[in-house]
């Protein structure tokens, strides 16, 4: 991925976050985002490494819907 593509992804996430997340929630999310900085991608299972972003989003949405994802 080149630098321009990376910036495009970051801009998209920032836009969606700012449009859809209330300020009090943003405060909590910023604190929890520290966990992402400590995330070690080498610990991911191969099933996660091999799925597309679209598949990942659907898996998470379905898991949230049926209560199997504990956040």
């Amino acid at each position: 991925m080149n630098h321009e593509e990376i910036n495009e992804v970051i801009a998209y996430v920032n836009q969606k976050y700012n449009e859809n997340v209330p300020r009090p929630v943003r405060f909590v999310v910023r604190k929890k985002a520290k966990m992402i900085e400590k995330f070690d991608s080498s610990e991911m299972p191969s099933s996660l490494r091999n799925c597309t972003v679209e598949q990942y989003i659907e898996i998470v949405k379905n898991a949230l819907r049926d209560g199997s994802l504990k956040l």
Side-chain angles (χ1 to χ4, degrees):
M1 207 176 228
N2 66 38
H3 190 65
E4 185 177 312
E5 291 171 323
I6 292 170
N7 287 339
E8 183 179 36
V9 169
I10 292 169
Y12 176 79
V13 171
N14 282 333
Q15 176 190 359
K16 291 299 181 185
Y17 178 76
N18 288 328
E19 288 176 357
N20 299 310
V21 179
R23 284 184 190 214
V25 175
R26 282 189 232 164
F27 176 75
V28 173
V29 169
R30 269 190 222 111
K31 289 190 172 270
K32 295 297 181 180
K34 295 289 183 190
M35 293 171 56
I36 293 172
E37 293 175 349
K38 297 175 185 174
F39 183 76
D40 184 3
S41 60
S42 67
E43 295 177 357
M44 294 187 319
S46 62
S47 56
L48 180 55
R49 290 175 198 240
N50 295 326
C51 76
T52 66
V53 172
E54 292 85 357
Q55 290 169 324
Y56 178 76
I57 290 170
E58 287 303 314
I59 291 167
V60 171
K61 284 171 44 177
N62 291 335
L64 285 169
R65 195 173 309 125
D66 70 20
S68 61
L69 184 62
K70 309 294 184 207
L71 297 179

